């Protein structure tokens, strides 16, 4: 599912996603700077080229997550299953 049009640039407050299911979501190039992901599922989600600087990922699972060319400076990953994910975040 292509969610790029639904997720615009964050305003003054960062996005907070709790127990969301982003399975197979197309989030290529989306600006999620400083967003918080709590117990979310991102199986096979595509975050190619996404802006993930200062994001926080706590719990949840993201098997086969695609992070090719994503920017993730100062991102924090705690307790999230990233099994078989691919790509290198910048």
């Amino acid at each position: 599912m292509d969610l790029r049009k639904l997720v615009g640039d964050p305003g003054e407050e960062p996005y907070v996603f709790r127990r969301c299911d982003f399975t197979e979501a197309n989030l290529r190039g989306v600006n999620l700077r400083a967003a918080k992901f709590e117990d979310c599922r991102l199986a096979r989600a595509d975050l190619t080229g996404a802006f993930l600087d200062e994001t926080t990922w706590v719990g949840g699972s993201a098997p086969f997550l695609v992070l090719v060319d994503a920017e993730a400076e100062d991102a924090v990953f705690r307790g999230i299953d990233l099994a078989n994910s691919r790509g290198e975040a910048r």
Side-chain angles (χ1 to χ4, degrees), residues 38-55:
E38 300 173 1
D39 297 314
C40 293
R41 179 156 174 79
L42 291 104
R44 291 183 168 75
D46 189 351
L47 290 165
T48 298
F51 299 93
L52 306 173
D53 294 339
E54 301 174 19
T55 53

Side-chain angles (χ1 to χ4, degrees), residues 7-43:
V7 181
D9 286 336
E12 291 181 24
E13 294 294 320
Y15 291 115
V16 177
F17 301 104
R18 290 188 181 98
R19 294 176 298 282
C20 294
D21 188 347
F22 292 107
T23 298
E24 297 185 4
N26 180 352
L27 294 167
R28 296 172 67 103
V30 171
N31 182 357
L32 294 169
R33 182 181 184 90
K36 295 180 184 354
F37 293 85
E38 300 173 1
D39 297 314
C40 293
R41 179 156 174 79
L42 291 104

